[in-house]
Every structure is written in structure tokens, then in C-alpha cells.
Amino acid sequence: MRALVRTAAAAATALALLLTGCGGGGDGGTDGRITLRFQSLAWQKESVDINKQLVKEWNEAHPDIRVEYVQGSWDSVHDQLLTSFEGGEAPDIIHDASDDLADFAYGGYLADLRTLLPDRLTAGIPDNSWETATFDGGVYGVPFLQEPRVLIANTKILKESGVRIPTPEKPWSWAEFREVTKELTGEGRYGIAWPLKEPVSVTLNLGLSAGGALFHRGADGKVTVAMGEGDQVVPGTIHDQVNTDHSAARTALGMGGGDTLPGFFGGKYAMVPLGFSYRQQVVEQAPKGFEWTVLPAPAGRDGLAQGVSPQTLSVAEDSPHKKEAVRFIDFLLRPANMVRLAKGDWMLPTGTEALADPSLHTADRGWATGAALAGALRSAPAQSVRGYPEWKDKVATPALQEYYSGAIDAAELRKRLVTDGNRVLARYQR
């Protein structure tokens, strides 16, 4: 979802959070009141405000179970949590992303929520979402916000080009998408800019539409990497757009998502593939009069399927007040509250009732397009793969970056992802 930065700065942040009391687990005061620590990773002002307001509402209604809001950071959350877990100082309620939970779940740091979750919450979230937080049969987080990848396009350029405008009902195929980006390319303009500073999750998650899987679990439970025909569609398309068609900007390959927006606003790129939440930045940063629209990502043999790693709420295994922590999570994720959280983060709720809210189905700012994609979202391919972070950082990221830039060919990409990748995964599965 968001890059995890394992640096000295991250370690310093972890230590600072511990020293300021983010950890320690909830406990009962001398007056018998329970205090729970809720570490939130909300970072946009609107989202932070909503999270703090919900904590305030809970505290006003539950004077005997006080929740303390603690601000965490996506940039350092993995290392900060690991430090707090190992030091016995973890927050009771943990906000994270499902693709960061595997090692914590297998390591015994997170509580298995199966016997703690209320039926309302269990039934209100689809199985596809629960799968993202399920490891070895246990449920270690409640998935509550999800973000499909979409195409944000310059409306004026689309109209002038005469290309067919895709809809969730009739999306572009990957082959048609490649042709469209050639049509949209002109003097001083690229059809698309792929911000691939972090290329792995984009490649894997969009690859599901073409039948890609890459990771395969055998009867013995062990996972191996194998690159089939479906796994080659997305990376092959991007590679050819950059190196053969010259319809994708080479300079964008090293960018983060937000880095492409100035060029997009300036007409340098006709489209940018971004996470759904980037719409907020578009609204806030676009020049006056700039017209834009949200389009579905291309579809393959498996339709609009794409992988996601939802944001999650977990409970620390060491928390002495697991039932109370789950009660707070249940409150936070009531349908009306889930809608408030989704709007604050410009994302989609996982809950069926929340997702049906009319305000999430308006044409304004692309909400309806995103909501139409929700049913096609699946667990990210690497969700439960132990050793995935090392495979991603040491093998897949450099290999994909070199392939997309044209430095290596498809055969070398396969060798690195599969051969080198399986060596990494094997060490975690002995």
C-alpha cells in the first residue's frame, strides 16, 4: 500500500513513540476505568479530524472505557510496531495495512479475532476482504478501507482524441489500452505516465485482471514463484509503452504517484494510473478550470479483478483488554462511521452497507466509478507470503525497474523474479 521506510529515521520515530507513551497496552486506572491506546495512521487533515472526532464520541458514550488517540506514521509503522511488540509496549488497537500483517500474525504479536468479533461486523464485510487479513486460518485484522487503482484522465484530451471512453461495464482490454495510449500521444505529450518508484504492488495487483498470480501455494503449504502467461500481460504492456511505443513517459518511472500530477495538470500526460485516494490531491492541486475524469483500469481475462491491501484494525496479543478493544473497533466501523472514515481518506469502505451509501455513488469526483469496482477487488497476491518484503525489496523492485526502463529483457526478468525469488522464499519456509 504505502512504502515502509526502514531507516535510522524510522527507528528514531519508533523510539520516540515509545517514549511518549504510545505503547504499554491498555490498563485499568485506580478508579477502575480502562484506558485503551489506539494508534492511527490517518495522515490527511480531514481523516485525522474524523478519527479524533470518533474517539471523542466513543469516550463521551463510554466513560468507563477511555480510548487514547496516538498518531502513528505510514513511513515507519512496521519498524515502530516491531520495536513495541518486542518491548511489550504495543498499542492495544493497531491501524495498519493487510500486507504488513503476515509477519506479525505468524510471530504471535496480534490477537486472533475470530472469537471476539461481533456477528454484525463479521457478516457486514465480504469474504474477499476478510481473506486479506486471514493467515493460517486465523483473522488478525478487520479490513475497513480499500483503494482500487484507477486511471485519472484529462477530459479535454480524451474528447479531442475521439477514443472510446471506457466504463466499468465496458472497460478497455489491455491490448486496447495500449492502442489508446498511442492515440493519446502527441507532440510534447505522452498518453500515460506510470509512476513506478514502487513497482511491485502495482504490477502484481493489476496483474490479477489478466489471470496473473505469480505466487503459488502447494499442497504442503509452501509458496513458490512461477511466472505464467497471465503474469506477463501487465509488465509487458508497460514495458512496450515505454520502450517500443514511446507512449509512456520514461522519466515517470522513478516517480511516486503525486510527482506525476504537475505534468498531468500541464498537459504533459493524458492519463495517470493512481490509487483512488489521489483524487483528493487532484481536487486540491488542479488549476482552476482543469477538467478530469476517473476511468476503470484495463480488464483482462478475469475482468476488472485487481488486488488490494485494505487498511486494517488489529488488536495486540499482549493487550489485557481485547474484548474492550474489539468493542471500540465495532463502534468505529459501524456503517455510518465507516462511510465517514472512507470519505475522510477518499477511499472505499469494505462494509457492504457502508458501500451502498448514496453519497459514494455520485458521478462527482469519480465516486461512482470507484464504487463500481469494489466487487472486483481481491486479496493482493502476496498477502500471506512469508518473506515477501525481502523478495520485494531485494529481488522484484530492482528487477522490475530495470525491465521497465529497458535495461533487461523479459527472460532476465523471469529469471530474477522466479529463480532468485524462490531462493529468498525458501529461507522463510524451512
Side-chain angles (χ1 to χ4, degrees):
M1 182 173 174
R2 305 179 198 270
L4 298 175
V5 182
R6 296 176 174 87
T7 61
T13 301
L15 180 59
L17 284 168
L18 290 176
L19 292 176
T20 55
C22 93
D27 49 28
T30 55
D31 59 358
R33 184 174 66 174
I34 292 171
T35 297
L36 301 172
R37 293 184 175 90
F38 165 42
Q39 181 170 302
S40 169
L41 301 181
W43 62 279
Q44 301 177 96
K45 183 181 184 304
E46 187 177 356
S47 181
V48 171
D49 289 347
I50 290 169
N51 274 271
K52 287 184 176 180
Q53 178 60 33
L54 287 169
V55 168
K56 180 181 178 183
E57 291 173 15
W58 166 273
N59 286 336
E60 289 174 349
H62 302 82
D64 58 331
I65 306 173
R66 180 179 179 274
V67 172
E68 175 185 323
Y69 181 93
V70 179
Q71 187 62 61
S73 169
W74 285 108
D75 290 337
S76 58
V77 64
H78 185 91
D79 289 324
Q80 180 265 316
L81 284 174
L82 185 60
T83 301
S84 65
F85 284 136
E86 293 180 343
E89 298 288 335
D92 300 274
I93 302 142
I94 299 164
H95 181 190
D96 203 351
S98 59
D99 60 354
D100 191 39
L101 300 184
D103 287 345
F104 296 143
Y106 288 120
Y109 296 122
L110 299 177
D112 184 348
L113 302 177
R114 284 176 295 177
T115 61
L116 298 170
L117 293 171
D119 292 342
R120 180 204 69 78
L121 194 56
T122 302
I125 296 175
D127 290 343
N128 285 340
S129 294
W130 283 117
E131 288 174 7
T132 66
T134 300
F135 306 95
D136 198 24
V139 174
Y140 295 93
V142 181
F144 70 107
L145 293 180
Q146 55 191 347
E147 180 174 27
R149 190 163 292 268
V150 295
L151 299 171
I152 299 180
N154 184 311
T155 302
K156 182 180 178 182
I157 294 174
L158 281 182
K159 289 180 178 178
E160 290 178 349
S161 71
V163 300
R164 182 180 75 83
I165 307 300
T167 64
E169 294 73 30
K170 296 187 67 176
W172 287 325
S173 67
W174 283 98
E176 185 180 7
F177 169 63
R178 181 180 170 188
E179 292 303 313
V180 165
T181 57
K182 288 194 284 187
E183 289 290 325
L184 297 177
T185 300
E187 186 175 350
R189 184 180 74 223
Y190 292 96
I192 196 162
W194 285 96
L196 293 174
K197 183 178 181 180
E198 299 286 344
V200 182
S201 63
V202 177
T203 305
L204 295 183
N205 290 341
L206 290 180
L208 287 185
S209 69
L214 204 65
F215 295 99
H216 303 271
R217 192 176 297 275
D220 59 358
K222 293 185 177 180
V223 176
T224 55
V225 185
M227 200 167 181
E229 183 178 344
D231 296 300
Q232 301 173 49
V233 172
V234 171
T237 299
I238 298 172
H239 173 276
D240 291 346
Q241 286 174 324
V242 174
N243 299 284
T244 302
D245 306 335
H246 307 293
S247 60
R250 182 180 300 275
T251 54
L253 294 177
M255 294 181 180
D259 299 332
T260 62
L261 292 180
F264 175 61
F265 298 145
K268 186 176 180 180
Y269 319 125
M271 297 186 294
V272 285
L274 296 171
F276 195 53
S277 65
Y278 274 94
R279 296 169 303 128
Q280 181 180 26
Q281 291 188 43
V282 175
V283 168
E284 293 177 345
Q285 299 173 19
K288 186 176 181 179
F290 182 81
E291 297 182 11
W292 56 281
T293 188
V294 176
L295 308 175
R301 77 177 200 197
D302 288 348
L304 289 167
Q306 60 173 282
V308 291
S309 297
Q311 293 185 25
T312 55
L313 294 172
S314 301
V315 176
E317 174 61 29
D318 286 346
S319 172
H321 303 294
K322 295 183 182 65
K323 290 183 179 180
E324 291 81 2
V326 170
R327 281 182 62 191
F328 173 70
I329 291 174
D330 183 44
F331 162 80
L332 206 63
L333 302 186
R334 290 175 181 172
N337 291 344
M338 197 183 280
V339 172
R340 293 164 67 185
L341 291 167
K343 287 183 174 181
D345 251 333
W346 290 65
M347 299 176 74
L348 298 175
T350 58
T352 304
E353 186 176 341
L355 187 62
D357 189 281
S359 66
L360 302 181
H361 291 263
T362 64
D364 182 48
R365 300 174 178 178
W367 279 108
T369 298
L373 300 177
L377 302 181
R378 302 288 183 267
S379 178
Q383 202 74 62
S384 60
V385 177
R386 298 206 71 180
Y388 169 73
E390 182 179 344
W391 176 84
K392 180 186 72 171
D393 293 343
K394 295 183 178 180
V395 177
T397 294
L400 285 168
Q401 287 175 335
E402 290 182 50
Y403 176 63
Y404 288 143
S405 70
I408 63 173
D409 61 14
E412 178 64 16
L413 174 68
R414 178 195 294 269
K415 174 182 174 296
R416 293 200 195 177
L417 295 183
V418 177
T419 305
D420 296 350
N422 280 325
R423 290 196 190 102
V424 170
L425 298 190
R427 292 205 308 274
Y428 290 82
Q429 302 182 93
R430 290 170 182 163

